[in-house]
CSV table of all heavy atoms in Angstrom, one decimal:
chain,number,residue,atom,x,y,z
X,341,VAL,N,74.7,86.5,83.0
X,341,VAL,CA,74.4,85.2,83.7
X,341,VAL,C,74.7,84.1,82.8
X,341,VAL,O,74.2,84.1,81.6
X,341,VAL,CB,72.9,85.2,84.2
X,341,VAL,CG1,72.6,83.9,85.0
X,341,VAL,CG2,72.6,86.4,85.0
X,342,LYS,N,75.5,83.1,83.3
X,342,LYS,CA,75.9,82.0,82.4
X,342,LYS,C,75.6,80.7,83.1
X,342,LYS,O,75.6,80.6,84.3
X,342,LYS,CB,77.4,82.1,82.1
X,342,LYS,CG,77.7,83.4,81.3
X,342,LYS,CD,79.2,83.4,80.9
X,342,LYS,CE,79.6,84.6,80.1
X,342,LYS,NZ,81.0,84.6,79.7
X,343,ALA,N,75.4,79.7,82.2
X,343,ALA,CA,75.1,78.3,82.7
X,343,ALA,C,76.4,77.5,82.5
X,343,ALA,O,77.2,77.8,81.6
X,343,ALA,CB,74.0,77.7,81.9
X,344,PRO,N,76.5,76.4,83.3
X,344,PRO,CA,77.8,75.6,83.1
X,344,PRO,C,77.8,74.9,81.8
X,344,PRO,O,76.7,74.5,81.2
X,344,PRO,CB,77.6,74.6,84.3
X,344,PRO,CG,76.2,74.6,84.6
X,344,PRO,CD,75.7,76.0,84.3
X,345,GLY,N,79.0,74.8,81.2
X,345,GLY,CA,79.2,74.1,80.0
X,345,GLY,C,79.3,72.6,80.1
X,345,GLY,O,78.8,72.1,81.1
X,346,PRO,N,80.0,72.0,79.2
X,346,PRO,CA,80.2,70.5,79.3
X,346,PRO,C,80.8,70.0,80.5
X,346,PRO,O,80.5,68.9,81.0
X,346,PRO,CB,81.1,70.2,78.1
X,346,PRO,CG,80.8,71.4,77.1
X,346,PRO,CD,80.6,72.6,78.0
X,347,ASP,N,81.6,70.9,81.2
X,347,ASP,CA,82.3,70.4,82.4
X,347,ASP,C,81.4,70.4,83.7
X,347,ASP,O,81.7,69.9,84.7
X,347,ASP,CB,83.6,71.1,82.7
X,347,ASP,CG,83.3,72.6,83.1
X,347,ASP,OD1,82.1,73.0,83.1
X,347,ASP,OD2,84.3,73.3,83.3
X,348,GLY,N,80.2,71.0,83.5
X,348,GLY,CA,79.2,71.0,84.6
X,348,GLY,C,79.6,71.9,85.7
X,348,GLY,O,78.9,71.9,86.8
X,349,GLN,N,80.6,72.8,85.6
X,349,GLN,CA,81.1,73.7,86.6
X,349,GLN,C,80.8,75.1,86.3
X,349,GLN,O,81.1,75.5,85.2
X,349,GLN,CB,82.6,73.5,86.9
X,349,GLN,CG,82.9,72.0,87.3
X,349,GLN,CD,82.4,71.7,88.6
X,349,GLN,OE1,82.3,72.5,89.6
X,349,GLN,NE2,82.0,70.4,88.8
X,350,PHE,N,80.3,75.9,87.3
X,350,PHE,CA,80.2,77.3,87.1
X,350,PHE,C,81.5,78.0,87.1
X,350,PHE,O,82.4,77.6,87.8
X,350,PHE,CB,79.3,77.9,88.2
X,350,PHE,CG,77.8,77.6,88.0
X,350,PHE,CD1,77.2,76.7,88.8
X,350,PHE,CD2,77.1,78.2,87.0
X,350,PHE,CE1,75.8,76.5,88.7
X,350,PHE,CE2,75.7,78.0,86.9
X,350,PHE,CZ,75.1,77.1,87.7
X,351,GLY,N,81.6,79.1,86.4
X,351,GLY,CA,82.8,79.9,86.5
X,351,GLY,C,84.0,79.4,85.7
X,351,GLY,O,85.1,79.8,86.1
X,352,THR,N,83.8,78.5,84.8
X,352,THR,CA,84.9,78.0,84.0
X,352,THR,C,84.8,78.5,82.5
X,352,THR,O,83.7,79.0,82.1
X,352,THR,CB,84.9,76.5,84.0
X,352,THR,OG1,83.6,76.0,83.5
X,352,THR,CG2,85.1,76.0,85.4
X,353,PRO,N,85.8,78.4,81.7
X,353,PRO,CA,85.8,79.0,80.4
X,353,PRO,C,84.7,78.5,79.5
X,353,PRO,O,84.4,79.1,78.5
X,353,PRO,CB,87.2,78.8,79.9
X,353,PRO,CG,88.1,78.6,81.1
X,353,PRO,CD,87.2,78.0,82.1
X,354,ASP,N,84.2,77.3,79.7
X,354,ASP,CA,83.2,76.7,78.8
X,354,ASP,C,81.8,77.0,79.2
X,354,ASP,O,80.9,76.4,78.6
X,354,ASP,CB,83.4,75.2,78.7
X,354,ASP,CG,83.1,74.4,80.0
X,354,ASP,OD1,82.9,75.1,81.0
X,354,ASP,OD2,82.9,73.2,79.9
X,355,ASP,N,81.6,78.0,80.1
X,355,ASP,CA,80.2,78.3,80.5
X,355,ASP,C,79.5,78.9,79.2
X,355,ASP,O,80.1,79.5,78.3
X,355,ASP,CB,80.2,79.4,81.6
X,355,ASP,CG,80.6,78.8,82.9
X,355,ASP,OD1,80.8,77.5,83.0
X,355,ASP,OD2,80.7,79.5,83.9
X,356,VAL,N,78.2,78.7,79.2
X,356,VAL,CA,77.4,79.1,78.0
X,356,VAL,C,76.4,80.2,78.4
X,356,VAL,O,76.0,80.3,79.5
X,356,VAL,CB,76.7,77.9,77.4
X,356,VAL,CG1,77.7,76.9,76.9
X,356,VAL,CG2,75.8,77.2,78.4
X,357,GLU,N,76.0,80.9,77.4
X,357,GLU,CA,75.0,82.0,77.6
X,357,GLU,C,73.6,81.6,77.2
X,357,GLU,O,72.7,82.5,77.3
X,357,GLU,CB,75.5,83.2,76.8
X,357,GLU,CG,76.8,83.8,77.3
X,357,GLU,CD,77.1,85.1,76.5
X,357,GLU,OE1,76.4,85.4,75.6
X,357,GLU,OE2,78.1,85.8,77.0
X,358,THR,N,73.4,80.4,76.7
X,358,THR,CA,72.0,79.9,76.4
X,358,THR,C,71.6,78.8,77.3
X,358,THR,O,72.4,77.8,77.4
X,358,THR,CB,72.0,79.5,74.9
X,358,THR,OG1,72.4,80.6,74.0
X,358,THR,CG2,70.6,79.0,74.5
X,359,PHE,N,70.4,78.9,77.9
X,359,PHE,CA,69.9,77.9,78.8
X,359,PHE,C,68.8,77.2,78.2
X,359,PHE,O,67.8,77.8,77.7
X,359,PHE,CB,69.4,78.6,80.1
X,359,PHE,CG,70.3,79.6,80.8
X,359,PHE,CD1,69.8,80.4,81.7
X,359,PHE,CD2,71.6,79.7,80.4
X,359,PHE,CE1,70.6,81.3,82.4
X,359,PHE,CE2,72.5,80.6,81.0
X,359,PHE,CZ,71.9,81.4,82.0
X,360,ALA,N,68.9,75.9,78.1
X,360,ALA,CA,67.7,75.0,77.7
X,360,ALA,C,66.7,75.0,78.8
X,360,ALA,O,66.9,75.5,79.9
X,360,ALA,CB,68.2,73.6,77.4
X,361,ALA,N,65.6,74.4,78.5
X,361,ALA,CA,64.5,74.3,79.5
X,361,ALA,C,65.0,73.6,80.8
X,361,ALA,O,65.7,72.6,80.7
X,361,ALA,CB,63.3,73.5,78.9
X,362,GLN,N,64.7,74.2,81.9
X,362,GLN,CA,65.0,73.7,83.2
X,362,GLN,C,66.5,73.8,83.5
X,362,GLN,O,67.0,73.3,84.6
X,362,GLN,CB,64.6,72.2,83.4
X,362,GLN,CG,63.1,72.0,83.3
X,362,GLN,CD,62.3,72.8,84.4
X,362,GLN,OE1,62.6,72.6,85.6
X,362,GLN,NE2,61.4,73.7,84.0
Side-chain angles (χ1 to χ4, degrees):
V341 184
K342 296 183 179 181
D347 65 1
Q349 300 293 323
F350 284 108
T352 57
D354 68 344
D355 286 357
V356 297
E357 295 185 351
T358 299
F359 310 166
Q362 298 298 304

